[in-house]
Amino acid sequence: MPAGIPPLSYASITVGFIGFAFTFFTLVRVFWDSIQTMWSAPKELRQLLDNIRTELYGERAYFKNAIEQARSKSKSSTREDPEIAPLSILNDSIRTMMRDFREMEAPFLAADAEDRQGLDIEKSGRVSLRGNYARMDIRRRYIWLQAKSDFNGVANQVTRIQTRRIAYETSNTLSCVREVQRLFTIMRILFCVCALLATCAAWTPIVVKKVTELGPQITPDVTQVSRDGGYSVLLDGRIVWLYDDTECFDLGKKQLSFVSNTAAYAKDPDKNVSILQDFGVEAVGKEKKSGITDYAILADKTVGTGGWIAFSDDELYFNKERKGRERVAIWPGTSPTPYSTSQAFMFSPLVYVDSKPKKPSKRYQARGMTLISISASSKGPIATRQGDLIISGNEIAYGGFTSLLGYTSTANPQDLDKRDVYLLGITDGGLQLARARQEVLTDFSKYRFWDPVELKFIDRPPKVDEKDYKKIYLPGSFTYGSIFYSPYFNTFIMVYFNKFVDSTFRIRFLDLNNPVGQDPVWPKQGKYGSGIAPEDIEALVKYGWSPEQELYKSPPSKGGFNYAGMAHPEYFNRQYFAPSLYSSGTSADRRRNQWYGSATVPEEDAGGDGKHLLISWTSQLKGGFDSGVYQVRLAKVEFDAVPENSGGNFPSAAASSSMPSLSLASSALILTVTMSAPSTSLIKPTGTALTSTGSASRNAQRWWTFDAWFLLSERWTLYFWSLLLPVLCVWGYTFR
């Protein structure tokens, strides 16, 4: 440090020199940037001005077209389009920026350049987006040095307007997408409505006139009973009722017995449809307080003997060893199918039941289906198992929903002495159908399976978990149900519960006005156009089922929803048995069973066989797996008259006069197709061959008449409008 200079002064001098150095170098940097700007002015000016001009005129053209479209749209409306206001604001901003830009670029244009002052893009189409710039001399370079920041500001403003325009376009695009979605929703609704209208031409709802609740079934032979199920069949003049798990208990709710299935007779079905006569009832002691004797069905708490349907030795041993903790149960599961007036069969599930499973889904596990033959003796119903497992648990439980017995296929006239069994099983996707000859029911390898795609029976069974509705016989939701021939509607009726826990009976009918395929034997109105007989089970694959209808919503009890909804067509119906189930020597006027339920529906006031239908369901008086109390309840459904505008879905009296019938007026026609009396063996029925005296004349009918009517019917007129109406709606919406 030099002598005589104070330290503070020395520091001040040092800071001054440093500040001067920063200022000098900053000046040098600014000067150098200015020199570079002026040096690169020709190139930078052309690029920047051309880009700004292109963006300005592009935005101007966009807003011009957008405003014109919005104005044209508002002309067709009573009020101005709300899109015009924001578009006009942005458009005015662009016009102002274009005017300022022309003034700013004027010093850089050549003397012969186009005069853009006052030029409006709306009034002139001769606008060049490339500038005719003058030679960049020192003066223009100096002007460029001063104006460059202003041009950059214009570019930034254009960028902000472009951002707003992109936001507007995005919002408009989303609005258009929502409009398109709404349009497609409207189209789907219109298609559904039109399809429904078209369907209404092809089917007529079954009209329910009245439903009368008849209360619970009455069991006077036992102290108290809890059981579910409730399936029935008429055999030898006796109505057999079958049940699943059955528990008997005393007045104090103490368990007396528990078995996996029981059977009973309707005690006096003509006077009271509710009273039962149970069998296998034993006295098991007296009440301590009242001294009343307690009675129970098969008093065996360990369920070792199983119940009415006997267990095999292995099953019996398993149940006795497990003592109720685990068990094999045999549940009837469905109403039996008569194969004569005195014998019937049914496919019943064998179920493994675990009372305390590790997984709730493993509580019930299907082992398969067993075949049961049933007869009705004076000492009670008799059940005989036809082998062990006919259908394994890895297959669809065919017959578990219902089974029907009838004629063989019309394509095999050489087998007229045989009978086919159609078996329907429940899957997650709906009902699947199998067919087998009656004599080979115990051999699952002889079964054939309906393929809805190929419209024929094939050897390959469908997948158990099939989800493709095109490969399912009847897609839908099903749990319990019945399919039977209704002499009132002259077609097959399906009454069932689905998987929704709403306690509601559903109903469908086989729509004879909706043939599947082009089989000349099965046109509209039934076989050869003359309706169908109870034995014509081939109609199940020749016609489509009607849409699902709600039949009756049964009232649930305190324990929860109802289940096991079944129909019992043996009541209020003298034509329960198909004509071919009677012996060949039975005259036409005697091919009628007794009328059951006279006290509820007198025959003279019934309005015809099958107009009234008895239905049952299981009511949960108390819920719970171990402590539940269940009760079978009854109701009577009265159908209304078949609507006149049925479109031919239910064959009229004239149309059905040529089909087998049990009315006295057409008794001679019963013998048109007859079958001998079935033998007592379920497996091999015997008898004379079937005869068909009228088949040759029916085959001689001209098939082309059906084709012509099929194309000109009202249904196809509605199909035409169902396709045209959505097109008109879309056209009107587009040009509104």
Side-chain angles (χ1 to χ4, degrees), residues 462-624:
K463 295 186 295 184
V464 176
D465 58 348
E466 182 64 70
K467 296 297 190 297
D468 187 355
Y469 72 93
K470 295 179 182 179
K471 299 180 180 180
I472 299 174
Y473 166 68
L474 183 57
S477 175
F478 304 89
T479 53
Y480 294 85
S482 312
I483 298 179
F484 56 93
Y485 182 85
S486 170
Y488 184 70
F489 294 108
N490 293 321
T491 188
F492 288 99
I493 300 294
M494 180 189 300
V495 177
Y496 61 96
F497 269 18
N498 60 21
K499 295 178 182 178
F500 298 102
V501 289
D502 56 1
S503 308
T504 301
F505 283 87
R506 268 79 179 185
I507 188 170
R508 299 174 186 249
F509 64 86
L510 196 65
D511 186 359
L512 302 187
N513 203 36
N514 183 23
V516 177
Q518 297 289 329
D519 192 331
V521 180
W522 304 96
K524 286 184 179 180
Q525 296 291 324
K527 191 175 183 179
Y528 299 106
S530 301
I532 59 174
E535 297 93 343
D536 288 328
I537 58 174
E538 190 180 4
L540 268 64
V541 296
K542 299 300 182 180
Y543 298 95
W545 287 95
S546 70
E548 181 180 273
Q549 295 175 235
E550 183 175 311
L551 177 64
Y552 172 61
K553 185 175 179 61
S554 60
S557 298
K558 295 181 180 179
F561 61 89
N562 300 331
Y563 63 98
M566 299 295 296
H568 308 277
E570 63 270 18
Y571 289 88
F572 322 124
N573 177 19
R574 283 189 175 271
Q575 302 182 55
Y576 171 71
F577 292 115
S580 62
L581 297 185
Y582 292 89
S583 61
S584 57
T586 304
S587 60
D589 59 339
R590 294 179 60 85
R591 297 191 181 202
R592 300 169 67 86
N593 52 268
Q594 180 182 338
W595 181 274
Y596 297 102
S598 296
T600 306
V601 181
E603 184 177 6
E604 58 273 14
D605 301 330
D609 292 324
K611 185 177 182 181
H612 298 260
L613 179 66
L614 186 70
I615 58 176
S616 71
W617 64 91
T618 297
S619 177
Q620 300 187 75
L621 302 183
K622 180 181 178 182

Side-chain angles (χ1 to χ4, degrees), residues 198-214:
T199 305
C200 289
W203 68 282
T204 301
I206 293 177
V207 181
V208 176
K209 184 176 182 180
K210 183 180 180 182
V211 179
T212 304
E213 290 188 41
L214 304 178

Side-chain angles (χ1 to χ4, degrees), residues 89-104:
I89 294 173
L90 294 174
N91 182 58
D92 292 341
S93 300
I94 287 292
R95 295 181 64 179
T96 301
M97 294 171 62
M98 291 176 65
R99 184 173 61 252
D100 296 340
F101 176 74
R102 295 190 199 105
E103 294 176 356
M104 294 168 59

Side-chain angles (χ1 to χ4, degrees), residues 124-144:
S124 177
R126 54 182 185 85
V127 178
S128 175
L129 298 181
R130 185 177 295 278
N132 185 10
Y133 300 105
R135 182 175 176 273
M136 295 296 291
D137 53 18
I138 296 298
R139 183 180 67 87
R140 290 190 175 90
R141 290 174 187 265
Y142 180 74
I143 296 174
W144 169 247

